[in-house]
Each structure stands twice: as C-alpha cells, then as structure tokens.
Amino acid sequence: MSFNTTTRYSGLAMLLHWAIAVLVIVQWRIAEAAEEAATREAGAAIMANHFALGVVIFVVVALRLLWRQVSPPPPPVKSHAPWERTFARIVHLAFYVLLLVMPVAGWIALSSFGEPVSVFGLFALPALPVPQNPDLGEAIFELHGASGVALLVLIALHALAALKHTFIDKDGTLYRMLPFGRARG
Ligand code: HEM
Ligand code: HEM
C-alpha cells in the first residue's frame, strides 16, 4: 500500500484539456482569418464564428473547472524545481482567468453595440443591459485582442515547458496529460 500514487490527470480532465487546446487554437485562427478577409462583410461573417466558439469555450472551461473540484489534479512532479511549480500554477491560473474573462468581455463589448451573440444560429445570448457606447465596445475589444496575444505567448511557453520536461529532462510530464506513456509523480 502506498499513498498519493496518482501521477495522471483523470480521463475526463485529459479530454477537456485537449478539447480546450484545440478549440483555443481554432479560435485564434478564426480571428486571424477575419482580419485578413477581403471585405468588411466577409470579416464580420467569419467573426460570427469566433463569437459563437467563444461561448462554447467558456462552457467547456467551466465544465473543466467543475470537474477539477470533483477530481483534483495529481500532486506536482517531485523533480520539478519549486520555482517551476509556482510558475506552472500561475500560468494555469492565468489560462483559466483569461478563458473565462475573454468571452465575457466579448459579450459585454458586443452588448455595448446593442448586438446579441448568436451561437451558430442555434440560439443567441441577448445583449446585456449595458449603456450603448461603441467607443467603450471598441476599447474592450482592443483589450481583448491584447489579452489574446498574451494568451498565445503563455500557450507557447506552456507547450515548450511540457516538451522540454518530457524530452530533455525525461521526467514524464507530458504523459500526465495523456492516457499512455510513463507518467511520474
Ligand atoms: C491552447 C492550448 C492549451 C491550454 C489553454 C492549456 C491549458 C492547461 C491548463 C489550464 C493546465 C492545468 C490543468 C489543471 O490542473 O487543471 C494544463 C496542464 C497541462 N498541459 Fe496544457 N494547455 C494547452 C496546450 C498544451 C499543449 C500543446 C501541451 C503539450 C505540448 C500541454 C501539456 C500539458 C501538460 C503535460 C499538463 C499537465 C502539467 C502538470 O502535470 O502539472 N498543454 N494545460
Ligand atoms: C475564450 C474565448 C476567446 C478567445 C480565446 C479569444 C481569442 C481571441 C484572439 C487570440 C484574438 C486575436 C488577437 C490578435 O491576434 O490580435 C481575438 C480577437 C477578437 N475577439 Fe476573441 N476570443 C474569445 C472570445 C470572444 C468572444 C466571445 C467575442 C465576442 C463576443 C470575441 C470578439 C473578438 C473580437 C471583436 C476580436 C478582434 C479584436 C481586435 O483586435 O480589435 N472573442 N480573440
């Protein structure tokens, strides 16, 4: 018998992690595609998908956080330095904060133009009762865009750290988030 031998995230946590990762990358590519669209109308049509996917990401992240309460993460890898653990915790926290705040900020910004958020034409989140103020909406979108860039930088750092630990330090970090390979505590 031994205690605390858990070295992997649960299957559902893995599924949600990789779903969020794919959705966030797609979300970013949609925003870029909208920026490069030939006309304003084409850009707006592409951006409608970004708004809708933002709502989906919010829901998936909320599910992930609920599941995290039921099935908490395994204890950190023992060979990770204290500063690495602290840094990883800060980055993970920043992911959750950004992934919840960014879509809500987007909803508030669209609301200040009086626009609802249509979710792929299936249903719509009504405009929130905020003052009609396109300047404020623009300012929020500006901040949202800057947060998006910060998010991408953190994702690059996070992925590089996971790969460095796994393939250079050979400490099995990546396998904690995968259903195969040798994960370690
Ligand atoms: C959009 C991209 C991504 C986001 C937003 C993201 C977010 C997160 C978050 C929030 C956690 C903490 C999980 C928790 O404790 O609840 C986590 C853990 C983890 N992620 Fe990602 N991730 C992304 C992409 C990746 C990629 C590309 C890799 C691999 C190359 C990766 C590897 C891992 C690993 C190995 C862990 C577990 C770390 C540990 O054991 O402490 N992630 N990720
Ligand atoms: C978690 C969900 C979301 C993520 C991860 C996300 C991410 C991003 C990213 C990466 C960019 C591009 C930044 C750049 O390269 O300049 C962006 C731009 C944008 N997003 Fe989102 N977004 C999300 C949700 C939303 C929602 C729900 C809305 C609106 C309801 C929205 C509206 C916009 C707009 C209007 C822009 C263009 C901003 C500008 O640069 O002026 N986003 N988003």
Side-chain angles (χ1 to χ4, degrees):
M1 280 289 284
S2 56
F3 296 95
N4 250 352
T5 53
T6 337
T7 54
R8 293 197 132 88
Y9 281 81
S10 66
L12 183 57
M14 291 177 190
L15 189 71
L16 292 168
H17 172 268
W18 294 112
I20 292 166
V22 171
L23 292 175
V24 168
I25 302 294
V26 170
Q27 180 71 331
W28 162 49
R29 298 314 304 160
I30 293 174
E32 293 299 322
E35 233 165 75
E36 284 155 23
T39 63
R40 242 187 122 77
E41 290 73 28
I46 296 171
M47 218 45 196
N49 294 297
H50 183 89
F51 302 162
L53 197 60
V55 175
V56 174
I57 293 174
F58 180 93
V59 171
V60 179
V61 170
L63 285 176
R64 166 69 195 120
L65 288 174
L66 284 177
W67 181 244
R68 203 176 193 276
Q69 298 307 306
V70 178
S71 168
V77 180
K78 288 193 198 72
S79 60
H80 290 177
W83 73 265
E84 290 176 320
R85 293 181 196 189
T86 307
F87 193 56
R89 281 184 63 174
I90 294 170
V91 171
H92 297 168
L93 180 70
F95 280 147
Y96 290 131
V97 171
L98 286 169
L99 294 177
L100 292 176
V101 169
M102 288 178 65
V104 172
W107 186 13
I108 294 172
L110 270 192
S111 302
S112 65
F113 291 94
E115 301 273 349
V117 186
S118 169
V119 181
F120 302 118
L122 296 172
F123 62 93
L125 303 183
L128 294 163
V130 296
Q132 302 299 292
N133 184 346
D135 287 343
L136 177 67
E138 289 292 349
I140 296 174
F141 277 139
E142 194 97 353
L143 270 176
H144 174 97
S147 312
V149 174
L151 177 65
L152 293 171
V153 171
L154 292 181
I155 290 169
L157 261 179
H158 172 76
L160 284 175
L163 295 174
K164 186 254 181 198
H165 277 288
T166 311
F167 298 109
I168 295 178
D169 302 341
K170 300 200 176 5
D171 62 13
T173 298
L174 183 58
Y175 304 116
R176 289 157 60 86
M177 210 32 117
L178 290 171
F180 53 82
R182 187 155 176 259
R184 273 175 250 167

